[in-house]
Amino acid sequence: MTGDLAAFVRGLPKAELHLHLEGTLEPELKFMLAQRNGVELAEKTVAEVKATYRFHDLTSFLRVYYPAMRVLQQPRDFHDLAFDYLTRAHADGVRHVEMFFDPQAHTGRGVPFHTVISGYRSAIVAARREFGISAELILCFLRDHSAEYAMATLLEALPYKDWIIGVGLDSDERGNPPSKFADVFARARQEGFLLTMHCDIDQTDSIEHIRQAIEDIGVDRIDHGTNIIEDDRLVELAKSSGLALTCCPVSNSFVTNRMKADEITALLDRGLVVTVNSDDPSYFDAYAADNYLALARQADLGVEHLVRLAENSFRASWIPAAKLERYLHDIREYVAAYS
């Protein structure tokens, strides 16, 4: 293959399936929105903002993550956030993205649901029109709140079903297993939403949470989920059912002491539909292509593995079959041009 690996990876057609829109809030945009909305920030420079990004686990990350959202107040704020991300994703070779958003993090501080979703939706339409990227929204429930609050949020979302492809579960996993939200996810499935759930890495009861997500809830894919490698039965179950994992190598290295590159590669080699994603890229300073490159360098992956990850990203997505075949064809053409 000719050409630089980084250039190859950035141009490689790919989908992103594990991306928190609120986690794309770059410091520069944060300052702009704060000024727009009259929000006083403790930090005065980009360097000061980034100095707060000191995470050693999920909890320490969330303590920084949620307070930053207070600058998001108007529809155009949410539009600008999503459009900026979609612009960067397009530059990284992302052709399709399924984006998480956390409405409770906004409605809980008085921002109406419609304000949030209308801003995000307008950015999706604008980005599709401007540079052809395809995007969908996944509504995530905050698992450290009550199941009743999650159900109320689901009901509030029903008038916007055409704008939301699925539901997910994120935030602090400690003491908040998938089973806590079984009724909410059953109702979501009944309403026609696809299902995914975070099973964060190295959590207490990780394997039991993964088992609940697969066997009790019946999710369509799992976010993170790398600990599944500790249970051969669950690995084989995921493999036989085609259940995908949306892994995030760089963010792993922030909230644990390593990237989990060996585990991700082992699961890929065992035939699971493993994908690579950026999670909260503004906080971890790594967008989609950066995660592919970081994993490739850490695990010494060649082009064959990288292409398989890109193919998996589309196979794991919730796009129609005809669109899937078109993207896979685009990957084959792209690789052939580099051979």
Side-chain angles (χ1 to χ4, degrees):
M1 169 172 292
T2 60
D4 175 71
L5 181 64
F8 172 79
V9 167
R10 293 197 187 282
L12 180 64
K14 60 184 75 68
E16 180 150 45
L17 309 177
H18 188 145
L19 181 284
H20 298 267
L21 277 169
E22 291 85 359
T24 69
L25 181 60
E26 291 287 345
E28 295 83 356
L29 181 60
K30 182 179 179 180
F31 283 123
M32 189 270 281
L33 296 181
Q35 184 177 24
R36 175 191 288 175
N37 294 317
V39 176
E40 185 173 352
L41 300 176
E43 305 84 20
K44 303 303 179 187
T45 66
V46 168
E48 288 180 11
V49 171
K50 292 189 173 182
T52 68
Y53 297 174
R54 299 289 182 266
F55 318 123
H56 61 273
D57 59 14
L58 178 61
T59 305
S60 61
F61 166 70
L62 294 176
R63 279 199 293 264
V64 174
Y65 181 66
Y66 286 123
M69 296 182 199
R70 63 195 179 99
V71 300
L72 296 162
Q73 298 184 7
Q74 308 173 56
R76 63 175 176 161
D77 302 337
F78 294 95
H79 172 103
D80 291 347
L81 178 66
F83 191 83
D84 280 7
Y85 161 71
L86 290 166
T87 302
R88 295 185 72 138
H90 171 67
D92 258 3
V94 175
R95 304 287 187 85
H96 173 75
V97 58
E98 293 167 7
M99 309 178 292
F100 300 130
F101 74 111
D102 291 330
Q104 291 166 285
H106 309 298
T107 58
R109 56 187 178 85
V111 178
F113 188 99
H114 179 76
T115 294
V116 179
I117 197 167
S118 63
Y120 285 153
R121 176 65 182 177
S122 67
I124 288 171
V125 172
R128 182 175 62 230
R129 181 175 59 244
E130 186 159 330
F131 35 80
I133 192 170
S134 164
E136 300 282 358
L137 290 171
I138 299 172
L139 185 161
C140 279
F141 306 111
L142 301 184
R143 67 198 310 160
D144 42 2
H145 291 288
S146 71
E148 291 77 15
Y149 188 13
M151 184 68 84
T153 300
L154 175 63
L155 297 178
E156 190 171 14
L158 293 183
Y160 306 94
K161 284 171 69 171
D162 290 346
W163 293 355
I164 302 170
I165 196 169
V167 300
L169 185 67
D170 62 12
S171 202
D172 199 337
E173 192 167 335
R174 296 175 304 166
N176 298 298
S179 58
K180 174 180 173 182
F181 299 90
D183 290 344
V184 180
F185 276 76
R187 175 64 184 272
R189 174 76 81 190
Q190 181 183 0
E191 294 290 345
F193 294 111
L194 293 161
L195 310 182
T196 188
M197 279 187 172
H198 277 54
C199 291
D200 285 294
I201 56 172
D202 295 348
Q203 298 293 300
T204 303
D205 298 323
S206 277
I207 291 299
E208 172 57 17
H209 289 185
I210 293 170
R211 187 206 65 76
Q212 288 179 18
I214 297 174
E215 296 188 322
D216 299 343
I217 307 297
V219 295
D220 299 292
R221 63 183 184 229
I222 289 179
D223 305 310
H224 296 300
T226 316
N227 289 88
I228 197 173
I229 201 167
E230 300 165 16
D231 190 302
D232 285 338
R233 186 184 73 84
L234 290 177
V235 169
E236 291 305 313
L237 181 58
K239 181 179 178 180
S240 64
S241 65
L243 184 74
L245 304 179
T246 66
C247 301
C248 306
V250 174
S251 76
N252 289 350
S253 67
F254 274 78
V255 298
T256 69
N257 60 359
R258 58 196 185 90
M259 195 178 290
K260 304 292 186 182
D262 292 343
E263 292 88 338
I264 292 171
T265 304
L267 290 167
L268 181 66
D269 287 339
R270 289 181 67 171
L272 272 71
V273 185
V274 174
T275 70
V276 166
N277 311 270
S278 65
D279 202 358
D280 299 283
S282 67
Y283 290 91
F284 305 129
D285 199 24
Y287 283 79
D290 302 315
N291 275 267
Y292 275 73
L293 287 167
L295 181 64
R297 289 163 179 158
Q298 183 71 28
D300 194 25
L301 300 185
V303 168
E304 180 183 346
H305 278 99
L306 294 171
V307 170
R308 199 186 322 162
L309 288 167
E311 292 173 339
N312 281 352
S313 72
F314 291 113
R315 291 194 173 102
S317 73
W318 293 332
I319 56 178
K323 200 171 182 181
L324 167 62
E325 289 306 317
R326 185 164 68 251
Y327 285 132
L328 295 179
H329 175 75
D330 289 346
I331 291 175
R332 290 190 294 268
E333 283 198 332
Y334 179 81
V335 173
Y338 266 83
S339 298

